[in-house]
Each structure stands twice: as C-alpha cells, then as structure tokens.
Amino acid sequence: MAEYENTNDVSAAEPSKLCDLLEGGWKIFEEVDSTNEPLASTGIQVRVKRAIGMLEEAARMVALLDLFSRNEELEEIATADLKYLLLPALCGALTMKQTSRDKRLETVQAARAYFMDFLKRCKEYDISRFELPRAANENASPDEASESGSSTATVTPQPCPSDLVSMAAQRQAKIERYRQRKELEARLSDVRRAVDSGQADDEVSRDFYNLNVRRWVAVCLEEIESIDQEVEILQNMDGLKQGAAKQPLQPVRPPMKPFILTKDAVQAQVFGAGYPSLPTMTVDDWYEQHRKRGAMPDQGIPTRPAVEEDTDAKEREEEDKEKKADDDDEESLLKARNWDDWKETHRRGYGNRHNMG
C-alpha cells in the first residue's frame, strides 16, 4: 500500500513539472517566431536549443505516463492533457529554426519526423480530416532513386492529364487549408483572451486546445511539403559535390610547339610548307645586325618630307616667272597683254558650258 501511495505521489508531482516544461518551450517558440532579431544570431539559437531540450524532456515524460492511447477517443482525453498533443509539432517547428548549414539535411529530416509523429497522432484521434503525407522513404522507390540522376537530368517529362488533375487537386487542397487556417486563427484570437484572463471554464479551455491542435495540423502539412522540396534540393547538391570530388584533376598540358605536316623532309625542303616559314629572329635582332654592318638604308642620310619638295617646286616656278618679267621677255609680255585685253571684253565665267551662266 505504501508503495502504491508513493507511485501516486510521483505521478501527481510529475504533471506540474511537465506543465512547466511545455509552457516554457511554447513561450520561447512564440517569442522566437515573432522576434525581429536575426534567426542565425547566437542568442536566438541558444534559446531555440534550450526550448527543444525542454520539449523533448516533456515528450519523454508523456511517454512514461502513457497519457495517450490508440484505444481511446478524443473526448476521453482530459482537458488538461490535450495541450500535450502539441509537443511533437512544437519540437518540429523549433527544429526548423536551427540554422546550421553543415547539418541542414539532418535538421529538416528530424523536423519532418516530428511533424509526422504529430499528424499520425491527430489522425488516430480523428481530430481533423486530412490525407496523411507519405513517409520520407516512400516518396521514391530504390529503382527510381537510382535512375533519377541520369534520366531526370537530361529528359523533362511532359505532364500527362492525370498529373494535371492531381496538381489541380493539390492546389485546391492548399487553398482550402489556407482558408481553414485563417478561420481557426480568427477563432483562436477570441478564445485566447478568455484563457489568458484566467476566467475560462473547462469547455472554453478545451475548445482553445482543440483549435490549436487543428491549426497545427494545417501548419505541419505545409511544412512537410516545403521540407520534401528542400530535401530533394539538398540531396541533389550533395550528389553534385560527391561527383565533383570523384573526378580526377586533369594535369595542365604545356603549350605545343609549332610543326609542319609534309609528306617527307625532301619535299618540305624543295617546295616549302605552303605558307611563310617561321621567323628565325626578331625585328630588334635584325636591326642590330644591320647597324653593326653599317648597312642601314637611312644611316647618315636625312630624309625630307614630300611637303617640302612641293614647296620648293612652287618657289622655283615663281622665281622663273619673276625672272622673265624682269628680263622683259617680249613673248611673255605679249601673252600677258592679250590676256588682260580678253578679260576686259569677256565677263567672268564666259565660255563655261557646264555653268550655263
């Protein structure tokens, strides 16, 4: 009898501690979820890990106490125990808040396991109508997983009518879940005021926890869809990294020397290569060689530009004209006088047939 009384005392003392663990972890999640601080900051990550530890400890205590059973209905669960249904969902949500890039795949897989545990429990109690997502190892068969690296990388399958119908059904289900979630959040905001004030009776408190559980069902379904997409991306990235690591590094090849393709060496000597031969010296070497020999074409001879030559020719022509005028050449004087007389009797432009003026 004494032993039975001691066990009752332990079980009576545990729920108070269990309640503190749940409320503490839940409060930290709400603070982290609504904070404006960076999620990757050290303070936020420390609080996230502490909250996960508190909720995991509470989940172990719930398992030891056997608060939930598959053989009972939702109405048979005590109102004070309904909130412990949220433990896996809160653990999964806090796990998704972790920002370790090196262990991101393990993190999202652990969060998916928490969400699936919560959804299975809600499905057993028929809390809400929803289709339970497939397990992670059921998303693709081993044959499909082995062929995904080769077939999906090169061939993009065209959607068939059945796929389009399923996609439309999934879209409609998302819209319906979003609508239900907004309705539940609106009802929760009204009920929360009564619960926070401490004036809620057993029926209001039960309604509050039921609404929370149904809201988290919608949240978990959305989180699992996003996790499945992220897992696929992370696995593909790991595969690409492993493939790049397995490929051997190609050695750097030295530059090839130019060579001539001919039938034989005699033909190359007689006919050549078919294009100018390769240079044997640089321009500077050639210039230096000719400079030493004194065979430079412009060495010691100044060059005159063509403009100076034209100027000299014009000057010589003017000098010849002045010399003839000074010598009073009869022929040149007669020619000049006739030209002056003709200009006096003919206006400028006379005889210009192109001008027609």
Side-chain angles (χ1 to χ4, degrees), residues 86-101:
L86 298 172
L87 282 172
L90 293 173
C91 286
L94 284 168
T95 304
M96 290 296 293
K97 299 291 185 183
Q98 293 180 335
T99 57
S100 177
R101 294 185 178 181

Side-chain angles (χ1 to χ4, degrees), residues 133-148:
R134 292 186 298 178
N137 54 2
E138 296 178 0
N139 290 336
S141 62
D143 297 336
E144 293 176 354
S146 62
E147 295 176 358
S148 61

Side-chain angles (χ1 to χ4, degrees), residues 12-295:
E14 284 179 348
S16 60
K17 184 179 179 181
L18 179 61
C19 180
D20 295 338
L21 292 174
L22 174 61
E23 290 181 356
W26 198 347
K27 182 179 180 181
I28 292 175
F29 167 74
E30 290 180 347
E31 292 175 354
V32 170
D33 193 45
S34 60
T35 186
N36 294 326
E37 297 182 21
L39 191 60
S41 62
T42 305
I44 296 296
Q45 290 300 307
V46 169
R47 297 178 65 187
V48 167
K49 291 181 180 179
R50 184 169 69 250
I52 292 175
M54 296 170 63
L55 294 176
E56 287 179 347
E57 180 65 23
R60 283 191 291 268
M61 295 175 64
V62 168
L64 291 175
L65 294 173
D66 288 333
L67 294 182
F68 306 109
S69 175
R70 298 180 179 179
N71 299 324
E72 61 182 2
E73 299 294 335
L74 181 62
E75 291 76 10
E76 299 177 11
I77 301 176
T79 302
D81 297 339
L82 276 176
K83 54 187 175 183
Y84 299 116
L85 288 172
L86 298 172
L87 282 172
L90 293 173
C91 286
L94 284 168
T95 304
M96 290 296 293
K97 299 291 185 183
Q98 293 180 335
T99 57
S100 177
R101 294 185 178 181
D102 298 335
K103 300 180 180 180
R104 183 59 183 175
L105 183 59
E106 300 176 1
T107 299
V108 295
Q109 288 176 345
R112 193 183 195 280
Y114 282 125
F115 291 140
M116 286 296 296
D117 186 16
F118 171 74
L119 291 177
K120 287 178 181 178
R121 183 64 57 84
C122 293
K123 192 72 173 178
E124 292 172 357
Y125 283 106
D126 196 17
I127 294 177
S128 179
R129 294 183 180 180
F130 62 93
E131 184 178 356
L132 192 66
R134 292 186 298 178
N137 54 2
E138 296 178 0
N139 290 336
S141 62
D143 297 336
E144 293 176 354
S146 62
E147 295 176 358
S148 61
S150 59
S151 61
T152 58
T154 56
V155 180
T156 303
Q158 298 294 331
C160 59
S162 60
D163 293 337
L164 295 176
V165 172
S166 62
M167 291 168 63
Q170 292 176 0
R171 180 177 179 274
Q172 188 63 29
K174 288 182 180 180
I175 295 174
E176 184 65 21
R177 284 201 304 268
Y178 179 79
R179 185 185 61 80
Q180 292 179 359
R181 181 177 173 180
K182 290 300 180 182
E183 292 179 357
L184 291 172
E185 289 177 352
R187 292 175 59 186
L188 267 174
S189 61
D190 297 336
V191 179
R192 185 184 293 273
R193 299 190 188 95
V195 174
D196 293 341
S197 63
Q199 299 178 356
D201 55 5
D202 185 76
E203 183 178 357
V204 175
S205 299
R206 190 176 188 85
D207 188 22
F208 173 73
Y209 293 126
N210 279 329
L211 291 174
N212 269 293
V213 171
R214 291 169 60 186
R215 173 185 173 274
W216 273 102
V217 168
V219 172
C220 291
L221 291 174
E222 294 177 0
E223 290 290 340
I224 287 178
E225 289 182 1
S226 62
I227 286 173
D228 291 341
Q229 296 176 1
E230 186 175 357
V231 166
E232 184 178 359
I233 295 173
L234 293 173
Q235 289 176 348
N236 292 335
M237 291 176 61
D238 292 342
L240 292 176
K241 291 179 180 179
Q242 293 176 1
K246 291 180 181 178
Q247 292 181 356
L249 296 177
Q250 297 182 357
V252 179
R253 298 179 58 184
M256 298 180 61
K257 296 181 179 180
F259 58 91
I260 300 173
L261 297 176
T262 56
K263 293 183 178 179
D264 50 34
V266 177
Q267 182 181 0
Q269 293 176 1
V270 176
F271 298 103
Y275 49 86
S277 60
L278 299 175
T280 58
M281 66 174 64
T282 63
V283 176
D284 294 336
D285 295 339
W286 179 88
Y287 184 86
E288 186 66 22
Q289 182 180 359
H290 283 66
R291 188 185 64 78
K292 290 180 180 179
R293 294 178 183 176

Side-chain angles (χ1 to χ4, degrees), residues 290-308:
H290 283 66
R291 188 185 64 78
K292 290 180 180 179
R293 294 178 183 176
M296 298 300 296
D298 58 346
Q299 196 167 7
I301 303 175
T303 59
R304 300 178 63 186
V307 178
E308 294 181 359

